[in-house]
Coordinates of all heavy atoms in Angstrom, one line a residue:
A1 N 6.2 -9.3 7.2 CA 7.2 -10.0 6.5 C 7.4 -9.4 5.2 O 6.5 -8.6 4.7 CB 6.7 -11.5 6.3
G2 N 8.6 -9.8 4.5 CA 8.8 -9.2 3.3 C 10.0 -10.0 2.7 O 10.8 -10.5 3.3
Y3 N 10.0 -10.0 1.2 CA 11.1 -10.4 0.6 C 11.4 -9.5 -0.6 O 10.6 -9.4 -1.4 CB 10.8 -11.8 0.1 CG 12.1 -12.5 -0.5 CD1 13.0 -13.1 0.4 CD2 12.4 -12.3 -1.7 CE1 14.2 -13.6 -0.1 CE2 13.6 -12.9 -2.2 CZ 14.5 -13.5 -1.4 OH 15.6 -14.1 -1.9
P4 N 12.6 -9.1 -0.7 CA 13.7 -9.1 0.4 C 13.1 -8.4 1.6 O 12.2 -7.6 1.7 CB 14.8 -8.5 -0.1 CG 14.4 -7.6 -1.3 CD 13.2 -8.2 -1.7
P5 N 13.7 -8.8 2.9 CA 13.2 -8.2 4.1 C 13.2 -6.7 4.1 O 14.1 -6.0 3.6 CB 14.2 -8.7 5.2 CG 14.9 -9.9 4.5 CD 14.9 -9.6 3.2
E6 N 12.0 -6.2 4.6 CA 11.8 -4.7 4.6 C 10.7 -4.6 5.7 O 9.8 -5.2 5.9 CB 11.2 -4.3 3.3 CG 11.2 -2.8 3.1 CD 10.8 -2.5 1.7 OE1 11.0 -3.2 0.7 OE2 10.3 -1.3 1.5
D7 N 11.0 -3.4 6.5 CA 10.1 -3.3 7.6 C 9.6 -1.8 7.7 O 9.0 -1.4 8.8 CB 10.8 -3.6 9.0 CG 12.0 -2.8 9.3 OD1 12.4 -1.9 8.3 OD2 12.6 -3.0 10.3
H8 N 9.6 -1.0 6.7 CA 9.2 0.3 6.8 C 8.5 0.8 5.5 O 9.0 0.4 4.4 CB 10.3 1.3 7.1 CG 9.9 2.7 7.1 ND1 9.2 3.2 8.1 CD2 10.0 3.7 6.3 CE1 9.0 4.5 7.9 NE2 9.5 4.9 6.7
L9 N 7.4 1.4 5.7 CA 6.8 2.0 4.5 C 6.6 3.5 4.7 O 6.3 4.0 5.8 CB 5.2 1.5 4.3 CG 5.2 -0.1 4.1 CD1 3.8 -0.4 4.0 CD2 5.9 -0.5 2.8
D10 N 6.8 4.2 3.6 CA 6.6 5.7 3.8 C 5.1 6.1 3.8 O 4.2 5.3 3.7 CB 7.3 6.5 2.6 CG 6.7 6.2 1.2 OD1 5.6 5.8 1.1 OD2 7.5 6.4 0.3
K11 N 4.8 7.3 4.1 CA 3.5 7.8 4.3 C 2.5 7.5 3.0 O 1.4 7.1 3.2 CB 3.4 9.3 4.6 CG 3.9 9.6 5.9 CD 3.7 11.1 6.3 CE 4.3 11.4 7.7 NZ 4.2 12.8 8.0
A12 N 2.9 7.7 1.8 CA 2.2 7.5 0.6 C 1.9 6.0 0.6 O 0.7 5.7 0.2 CB 2.9 8.0 -0.6
D13 N 2.9 5.2 0.8 CA 2.7 3.7 0.7 C 1.5 3.3 1.7 O 0.7 2.5 1.5 CB 3.9 3.0 0.8 CG 4.8 2.9 -0.4 OD1 4.0 3.3 -1.5 OD2 5.8 2.7 -0.4
L14 N 1.8 3.7 3.0 CA 0.8 3.3 4.0 C -0.5 3.9 3.7 O -1.6 3.2 4.0 CB 1.3 4.0 5.5 CG 0.9 3.4 6.7 CD1 0.9 1.8 6.6 CD2 1.6 3.9 7.9
A15 N -0.7 5.0 3.2 CA -2.0 5.6 2.7 C -2.6 4.7 1.7 O -3.8 4.2 1.8 CB -1.8 7.0 2.2
A16 N -1.9 4.2 0.9 CA -2.4 3.4 -0.3 C -2.6 2.0 0.4 O -3.8 1.3 0.0 CB -1.3 3.1 -1.4
A17 N -1.9 1.4 1.3 CA -2.1 0.2 1.9 C -3.4 0.3 2.7 O -4.4 -0.7 2.5 CB -1.1 -0.2 2.9
N18 N -3.7 1.3 3.5 CA -4.9 1.5 4.3 C -6.1 1.7 3.4 O -7.1 1.2 3.7 CB -4.7 2.6 5.2 CG -4.0 2.3 6.5 OD1 -4.3 1.3 7.2 ND2 -2.8 2.9 6.7
W19 N -6.0 2.4 2.3 CA -7.1 2.5 1.4 C -7.5 1.2 0.8 O -8.7 0.8 0.7 CB -6.8 3.6 0.3 CG -8.0 3.9 -0.5 CD1 -8.9 4.9 -0.3 CD2 -8.6 3.2 -1.6 NE1 -9.9 4.9 -1.2 CE2 -9.8 3.9 -1.9 CE3 -8.3 2.0 -2.2 CZ2 -10.6 3.5 -3.1 CZ3 -9.0 1.6 -3.3 CH2 -10.2 2.3 -3.8
A20 N -6.6 0.5 0.2 CA -6.8 -0.8 -0.3 C -7.5 -1.7 0.7 O -8.4 -2.4 0.4 CB -5.5 -1.4 -0.8
W21 N -7.0 -1.6 2.0 CA -7.5 -2.5 3.1 C -9.0 -2.1 3.2 O -9.8 -3.1 3.3 CB -6.7 -2.3 4.2 CG -7.3 -2.9 5.6 CD1 -7.8 -2.1 6.5 CD2 -7.4 -4.1 5.9 NE1 -8.3 -2.9 7.5 CE2 -8.0 -4.1 7.1 CE3 -7.1 -5.3 5.3 CZ2 -8.3 -5.3 7.8 CZ3 -7.4 -6.4 5.9 CH2 -8.0 -6.5 7.3
G22 N -9.3 -0.8 3.4 CA -10.6 -0.4 3.7 C -11.6 -0.6 2.6 O -12.8 -0.6 2.9
N23 N -11.2 -0.6 1.4 CA -12.0 -0.6 0.2 C -11.9 -2.0 -0.6 O -12.6 -2.1 -1.5 CB -11.7 0.5 -0.8 CG -12.0 1.9 -0.1 OD1 -13.1 2.2 0.0 ND2 -11.0 2.6 0.6
D24 N -11.0 -2.8 -0.2 CA -11.0 -4.2 -0.8 C -10.7 -4.1 -2.2 O -11.1 -4.8 -3.1 CB -12.3 -4.9 -0.5 CG -12.0 -6.5 -0.8 OD1 -10.9 -6.9 -0.7 OD2 -12.9 -7.2 -1.1
R25 N -9.8 -3.0 -2.6 CA -9.5 -2.8 -4.1 C -8.0 -2.5 -4.1 O -7.4 -1.9 -3.2 CB -10.3 -1.7 -4.6 CG -11.8 -2.1 -4.8 CD -12.6 -1.1 -5.5 NE -12.0 -0.4 -6.7 CZ -12.1 0.8 -6.9 NH1 -12.8 1.6 -6.2 NH2 -11.6 1.2 -8.0
P26 N -7.4 -2.7 -5.2 CA -6.0 -2.3 -5.4 C -5.9 -0.8 -5.2 O -6.7 0.0 -5.7 CB -5.5 -2.8 -6.9 CG -6.5 -3.9 -7.2 CD -7.8 -3.4 -6.5
A27 N -4.7 -0.5 -4.7 CA -4.3 1.0 -4.6 C -2.8 1.1 -4.6 O -2.1 0.3 -4.3 CB -4.8 1.5 -3.2
G28 N -2.4 2.4 -5.1 CA -0.9 2.7 -5.2 C -0.4 2.7 -6.7 O -1.3 2.7 -7.5
R29 N 0.8 2.5 -6.8 CA 1.4 2.7 -8.1 C 0.8 1.7 -9.1 O 0.6 0.6 -8.9 CB 3.0 2.5 -7.9 CG 3.8 2.7 -9.1 CD 5.2 2.6 -8.9 NE 5.8 2.9 -10.2 CZ 7.2 3.1 -10.1 NH1 7.8 3.1 -9.0 NH2 7.8 3.6 -11.3
G30 N 0.4 2.3 -10.3 CA -0.1 1.5 -11.5 C -1.6 1.4 -11.3 O -2.3 0.8 -12.2
S31 N -2.2 1.9 -10.2 CA -3.7 1.8 -10.1 C -4.3 3.2 -10.2 O -3.5 4.2 -10.4 CB -4.1 1.3 -8.6 OG -3.9 2.2 -7.7
D32 N -5.6 3.4 -10.3 CA -6.3 4.6 -10.3 C -6.5 5.4 -9.1 O -6.8 6.6 -8.9 CB -7.8 4.2 -10.9 CG -7.7 3.9 -12.3 OD1 -6.8 4.1 -13.0 OD2 -8.7 3.1 -12.7
T33 N -6.2 4.6 -8.0 CA -6.2 5.2 -6.5 C -4.9 5.4 -5.9 O -4.1 4.4 -5.9 CB -7.1 4.3 -5.7 OG1 -8.4 4.1 -6.3 CG2 -7.3 4.9 -4.4
L34 N -4.5 6.4 -5.5 CA -3.3 6.9 -4.8 C -2.1 6.4 -5.7 O -1.1 5.7 -5.1 CB -3.3 6.4 -3.5 CG -4.4 7.0 -2.6 CD1 -4.5 6.1 -1.2 CD2 -4.1 8.3 -2.3

């Protein structure tokens, strides 16, 4: 789900999402990881 609706993430975003998921910590833009 998304607002506004969005259904695709690029590779960098997907990598950050997976890292955050696996490590239970924020990742991506504005963080120290990815």
Side-chain angles (χ1 to χ4, degrees):
Y3 189 84
E6 191 169 338
D7 63 357
H8 178 71
L9 298 176
D10 63 24
K11 288 182 181 183
D13 283 339
L14 198 50
N18 281 300
W19 191 93
W21 167 251
N23 294 280
D24 197 25
R25 292 185 42 220
R29 189 173 183 161
S31 75
D32 293 334
T33 305
L34 300 169

